[in-house]
Amino acid sequence: MAAGLSARYIKGWKRLGGGVLLCVPLLDIVLLAATVISLRDGAEVTIWHGLSAAYLGFTVAFGHDTLRWADEKFGRRFGGVPERPRPVLYGRARVLREWRSWLRFLLAYGVSCALLVGMTWFVGGTERGALLLAWLNPLTKILIYSLIWPVIVTIRPGRAPAEERPLTGNA
């Protein structure tokens, strides 16, 4: 990612930098392939094989936004790209934003769990793949803990800044 951003903004090679950034998802496919090949060749199942599944789940759910965020920050710092307007941080818009974010966590969780279960089946069942399924515990905890914030924001969504609120009462 750093190479693509550097080519794009520091060297000014917009097309080459964009092409390198488009290759970032290919690295995820290479990671998955390396994990499957390692397991297929009879490697001992380790906790690191499970980490690859958790990482891929995160990448599916948040990869595009993470790349876009890094591109904006790098572009602003090195390429003179203007800053985008900040998102609304109060009221209904904030509540919807937090729930969408949590749904993305849910997507990451689902993809990671599906990969973990698939990898466990691939290595021959729970007897050999127990370390893979051990990842379900922290992933489930993260999903549950991440639910706390959208619930809090739903209960107390915040108010508009004073300069945006209409004047009421006797002035």
Side-chain angles (χ1 to χ4, degrees):
M1 182 167 35
L5 292 172
S6 297
R8 190 172 192 166
Y9 294 109
I10 294 176
K11 292 291 188 180
W13 301 333
K14 302 277 184 208
R15 293 186 119 190
L16 176 65
V20 171
L21 288 175
L22 285 174
C23 290
V24 170
L26 292 177
L27 292 174
D28 298 333
I29 294 169
V30 168
L31 172 66
L32 180 61
T35 301
V36 168
I37 290 169
S38 171
L39 293 173
R40 185 195 66 199
D41 289 344
E44 183 180 337
V45 177
T46 66
I47 202 81
W48 299 107
H49 291 105
L51 178 62
S52 69
Y55 170 76
L56 287 169
F58 174 83
T59 301
V60 166
F62 294 100
H64 184 268
D65 284 347
T66 302
L67 274 174
R68 186 176 50 212
W69 173 85
D71 188 43
E72 288 175 7
K73 296 290 183 186
F74 210 88
R76 194 166 49 249
R77 173 71 172 94
F78 296 106
V81 175
E83 188 170 353
R84 285 182 23 182
R86 295 183 144 258
V88 176
L89 297 177
Y90 57 88
R92 179 177 168 82
R94 181 168 185 201
V95 171
L96 291 174
R97 181 172 172 238
E98 298 301 334
W99 280 106
R100 279 189 203 111
S101 178
W102 186 81
L103 287 173
R104 293 181 116 182
F105 271 111
L106 184 62
L107 173 64
Y109 176 80
V111 169
S112 297
C113 290
L115 287 170
L116 288 167
V117 169
M119 288 166 55
T120 302
W121 171 81
F122 184 73
V123 299
T126 56
E127 197 169 296
R128 186 164 175 241
L131 281 175
L132 296 171
L133 295 178
W135 275 95
L136 294 176
N137 184 18
L139 289 174
T140 302
K141 286 179 181 176
I142 291 169
L143 180 71
I144 292 168
Y145 293 151
S146 67
L147 181 61
I148 294 170
W149 188 246
V151 169
I152 289 172
V153 170
T154 300
I155 295 168
R156 295 197 45 103
R159 295 178 53 181
E163 62 270 5
E164 293 181 27
R165 282 188 288 221
L167 293 175
T168 58
N170 298 340

